Amino acid sequence: MAAAVAGIGAMTATAGCGGARVTPEGYVSGTPSLSWKACEETASSSGFECATLQVPLDYAKPEGKKIGIALVRMRATDQSRRIGSLVFNFGGPGGSGVTTLINAAHAFSTLNSRYDLVGFDPRGVERSSGIRCLSAPQMDQYMSREPSENAATETTLVKGFAQACERNAGWILPYVGTVNASRDMESLRAALGDPRLNYLGFSYGTHLGAVYATQYPKKVGRMVLDSAVDPSVTMLDMAKTQALGFQKAYEDYLADCTKTRTSCPLGADAAAANATVLKLLDTVARTPGKVGSRTVTEDIARAGITQALYSKYTWPLLTEALDEGRKGKLDGLLALADQYAGRQPNGTYSTLQFSLPAVLCVDSTDRPSVAQAEELARRLEKKSPIFASTAISAGSCSVWPVRGDDAARHVDATGSNPILVVGVTNDPATPYQWAPRLADQLRTAVLLTLNGEGHGAYGQNQCIDDKVNAYLLEGTVPAKGTRCG
């Protein structure tokens, strides 16, 4: 039963820091200290420093148990013109900010000239008391399971997953919500010594940024929220919108393959190419394939397709994987599915698939049943045959062992500096309509639009990069209604 977003690799943070006194509201009443040291990692982490920020597990008990938030930093290259720190969240919820920044810092070299780039693993993620529910072999089996059309069977499956999370990580599950993560960011801001938080958040990172701006509007510096999430949507609405969003991206991919390439191996036109893909999925459904000792089910193949649709740059990989797949070689689709699930080359999994439902379920009181989610999937079958079954995951919170809270669903940054919200018109994962909605809810936001494909605008379009860089480096806010592409 595959669900969620692309996984990200792992590394280890080092160093320690002093504690901080934080009120139940999350405001730092003392300045936390950080001890930065060279990251004890591979050559890829050369030039980075790592540290750990101590924060309360429960902000209602600020003097009680502490947990460590893993940090990574690359100092500004032009210290004479340094603005301060730029904190990142790359999405999920559940993506590792430490690993991602180390792997992607080169993409932010223009910003790194004047900012220290800072990434962190949010609470419940990887090195920050990361949630782990199932063993690697158990996850292999879980991710390959086909969604059942029987609600009772499917409920039993997701309940078993939830019970494993409670059994192995129950102590932290109530405390991993976005409100607490935003309080951690306020502690981080104070520890970094910045008077205001400068922030660049992608996907779920836009939700985290919006909640921070709601809690601490006067502490917002220059904030960019790229590929916006609308926190007000219900679980079923989110599932429906994303299933249709990936269907649109899939159709755009087929059109691109058959109309703009000299030769598309999947078919002469979009209809023929689609028939090829559906035949491949049907074949794998009837007779799952093998890659070494691993079984490739239809659900694994769908996950591979979904992963490749996050970015137009991975469309050629999808074409190759599908072309090989129809010839019986499923390595490419499996590799894409592993990326989607956060499965590492050594067979272990990142915490992504565990921390993602943990955050989503604690962030909302919305609890649609598995039966309701399956009914939605059936209604979506004609419009989105490949992606309709992903809607079943919307019922997972109905069996989650921790009650939800709606505080993170209500955002209003009145009193903050201008916030730049960025949306992509054909974004499958965070569909464009969420961007203007988030901007409206924040009240202090300006919307910047990319007419294009894929999940995430920054780094995909020079016009967008220029506008975002001008805002973060010079404070220049784009004109209302600015569009690129």
Side-chain angles (χ1 to χ4, degrees):
M1 180 183 174
V5 299
I8 307 168
M11 63 165 280
T12 302
T14 61
C17 68
R21 294 189 67 251
V22 188
T23 70
E25 292 76 22
Y27 289 92
V28 176
S29 57
T31 302
S33 62
L34 294 173
S35 176
W36 293 98
K37 298 179 182 178
C39 300
E40 296 178 359
E41 292 301 329
T42 63
S44 63
S45 63
S46 176
F48 288 91
E49 300 172 307
C50 288
T52 302
L53 173 69
Q54 296 294 325
V55 298
L57 171 67
D58 183 354
Y59 275 91
K61 301 175 181 178
E63 303 299 338
K65 180 179 176 62
K66 301 293 193 296
I67 58 173
I69 304 298
L71 312 175
V72 68
R73 175 174 71 177
M74 175 169 278
R75 288 187 173 276
T77 56
D78 186 351
Q79 286 289 316
S80 66
R81 300 175 65 232
R82 179 182 177 275
I83 296 171
S85 304
L86 182 63
V87 176
F88 290 81
N89 182 281
F90 296 97
S96 169
V98 172
T99 298
T100 308
L101 185 60
I102 286 176
N103 291 336
H106 62 278
F108 306 101
S109 58
T110 298
L111 298 171
N112 192 205
S113 65
R114 300 186 63 194
Y115 280 108
D116 295 344
L117 307 183
V118 178
F120 69 104
D121 286 356
R123 55 174 57 211
V125 175
E126 292 301 331
R127 304 151 201 82
S128 300
S129 301
I131 296 168
R132 295 195 179 276
C133 306
L134 301 176
S135 67
Q138 289 171 329
M139 272 300 288
D140 280 344
Q141 183 179 20
Y142 184 77
M143 295 301 295
S144 65
R145 286 285 296 270
E146 295 299 326
S148 173
E149 295 183 1
N150 182 288
T153 300
E154 189 69 22
T155 300
T156 298
L157 179 64
V158 296
K159 185 178 290 186
F161 178 91
Q163 289 171 342
C165 292
E166 183 178 27
R167 187 166 55 249
N168 295 317
W171 68 274
I172 196 174
L173 293 184
Y175 306 106
V176 296
T178 301
V179 170
N180 277 339
S182 69
R183 290 167 172 163
D184 295 342
M185 283 213 302
E186 174 60 4
S187 293
L188 174 57
R189 178 203 62 77
L192 292 170
D194 292 331
R196 290 182 175 82
L197 178 76
N198 301 307
Y199 177 80
L200 178 50
F202 298 89
S203 193
Y204 163 76
T206 68
H207 186 198
L208 177 57
V211 171
Y212 177 91
T214 299
Q215 288 190 296
Y216 311 103
K218 297 299 184 183
K219 297 298 184 180
V220 173
R222 296 170 185 174
M223 178 175 284
V224 177
L225 308 180
D226 184 350
S227 298
V229 172
D230 176 3
S232 69
V233 298
T234 66
M235 296 283 186
L236 292 176
D237 284 343
M238 179 181 293
K240 176 183 177 180
T241 304
Q242 289 186 322
L244 296 177
F246 277 103
Q247 180 65 29
K248 175 64 165 57
Y250 170 69
E251 292 169 358
D252 290 347
Y253 155 73
L254 293 179
D256 178 77
C257 183
T258 57
K259 292 181 181 178
T260 65
R261 308 297 180 196
T262 55
S263 176
C264 180
L266 304 179
D269 55 35
N274 180 53
T276 298
V277 176
L278 294 180
K279 181 179 179 181
L280 166 60
L281 292 174
D282 181 64
T283 298
V284 177
R286 287 185 285 106
T287 307
K290 283 283 188 178
V291 175
S293 62
R294 298 181 64 192
T295 300
V296 181
T297 63
E298 182 185 9
D299 207 38
I300 292 289
R302 283 196 300 263
I305 294 170
T306 302
Q307 170 62 24
L309 294 175
Y310 273 88
S311 171
K312 191 171 184 178
Y313 294 114
T314 51
W315 287 2
L317 292 178
L318 179 57
T319 300
E320 181 179 358
L322 290 170
D323 187 34
E324 291 294 318
R326 70 192 181 96
K327 300 172 185 175
K329 185 175 173 59
L330 299 169
D331 303 61
L333 284 173
L334 180 61
L336 287 167
D338 283 349
Q339 189 177 358
Y340 181 92
R343 191 182 193 273
Q344 312 301 327
N346 65 2
T348 63
Y349 283 79
S350 74
T351 62
L352 177 65
Q353 296 294 340
F354 311 129
S355 50
L356 186 148
V359 174
L360 290 181
C361 293
V362 82
D363 270 357
S364 176
T365 60
D366 190 21
R367 294 291 189 268
S369 67
V370 173
Q372 288 175 305
E374 288 202 329
E375 174 57 30
L376 172 61
R378 283 190 288 271
R379 294 201 307 269
L380 290 171
E381 188 66 36
K382 284 189 176 181
K383 291 183 177 180
S384 183
I386 295 176
F387 310 102
S389 63
T390 62
I392 298 176
S393 64
S396 298
C397 291
S398 65
V399 297
W400 196 249
V402 177
R403 295 176 60 184
D405 184 280
D406 286 329
R409 298 179 67 186
H410 306 290
V411 296
D412 181 343
T414 298
S416 78
N417 282 325
I419 296 170
L420 184 58
V421 172
V422 188
V424 183
T425 53
N426 290 328
D427 184 331
T430 55
Y432 177 72
Q433 60 263 37
W434 291 353
R437 289 178 189 171
L438 178 62
D440 287 344
Q441 291 168 53
L442 288 172
R443 300 182 185 277
T444 56
V446 175
L447 178 65
L448 174 63
T449 299
L450 171 61
N451 297 318
E453 299 281 349
H455 184 49
Y458 190 84
Q460 313 301 323
N461 176 276
Q462 190 61 52
C463 170
I464 291 290
D465 291 0
D466 289 345
K467 300 295 184 186
V468 171
N469 291 342
Y471 170 66
L472 288 173
L473 295 173
E474 308 297 338
T476 304
V477 180
K480 184 177 180 180
T482 298
R483 302 180 79 94
C484 294

